[in-house]
Amino acid sequence: MCHKNNRVESVAEHSWRIAMMALLLEDTFSDVDIDKVMRMCVIHDLGECFTGDIPVFLKTDDDRRQEAKLLDEFLDTLPQELSHNMRALYQEMEACQSREAKIFKALDKLEAVIQHNEAPISSWEEHEYDLQRHYAFDVVAFLPG
């Protein structure tokens, strides 16, 4: 996403920021494993390191398959236990049933809103004006009022 001075935020910056957001929520969500949430935040976009960061509204099914294939090949190179643990995290994030996965997903989308709103409005595309008004509402709905 474009920031001030037309600088684009990297995948690493996005992942770091949501991991920091998770850390800051440790007391708010004392009933969840915040370390697990932080691990999810750190690894969630790892596939984009191989394919580049394609905006969600431009990413195709072919892009997603290629990213998954390259990520899978990378995970195969890791020690067995580490590979197993990372795959388990990806499965949990995909299912999005645990509180940890729901918190991660909410942080991921909310950070995207934050970074978008930090960008000069002149960098916005026409469809983004409406998108910003409701993006992430679905993933924060699990939180009490």
Side-chain angles (χ1 to χ4, degrees):
M1 183 56 58
C2 184
H3 270 277
K4 298 173 212 135
N5 303 323
N6 293 324
R7 188 183 71 73
V8 176
E9 180 186 65
S10 71
V11 172
E13 288 170 307
H14 165 70
S15 296
W16 177 86
R17 188 144 101 170
I18 66 171
M20 177 57 76
M21 292 164 73
L23 178 64
L24 295 173
L25 290 174
E26 185 173 21
D27 291 340
T28 303
F29 293 102
S30 58
D31 62 324
V32 302
D33 183 348
I34 288 295
D35 289 338
K36 180 187 272 190
V37 176
M38 290 173 55
R39 287 191 304 275
M40 290 175 175
C41 293
V42 169
I43 71 165
H44 80 286
D45 276 341
L46 189 57
E48 292 182 4
C49 293
F50 308 114
T51 62
D53 185 6
I54 303 168
V56 68
F57 49 85
L58 296 177
K59 193 177 271 190
T60 66
D61 287 341
D62 284 341
D63 294 327
R64 283 185 269 287
R65 280 190 290 275
Q66 178 67 4
E67 185 177 308
K69 176 184 173 291
L70 294 172
L71 177 61
D72 194 52
E73 288 173 3
F74 169 74
L75 293 176
D76 285 342
T77 69
L78 299 176
Q80 187 174 4
E81 185 175 348
L82 179 57
S83 177
H84 173 77
N85 291 342
M86 288 180 72
R87 288 176 199 280
L89 281 176
Y90 281 113
Q91 288 172 354
E92 186 173 343
M93 288 185 290
E94 181 69 27
C96 205
Q97 295 299 309
S98 69
R99 295 228 345 127
E100 288 83 359
K102 289 177 181 182
I103 291 167
F104 146 72
K105 182 54 84 177
L107 293 175
D108 182 34
K109 287 197 172 189
L110 289 171
E111 197 282 333
V113 171
I114 292 167
Q115 72 171 268
H116 193 270
N117 287 321
E118 290 175 336
I121 202 159
S122 61
S123 70
W124 289 26
E125 296 179 13
E126 188 62 35
H127 66 94
E128 293 175 306
Y129 292 97
D130 185 54
L131 181 66
Q132 284 300 98
R133 291 185 5 202
H134 56 78
Y135 191 73
F137 280 23
D138 59 332
V139 295
V140 298
F142 77 97
L143 296 170

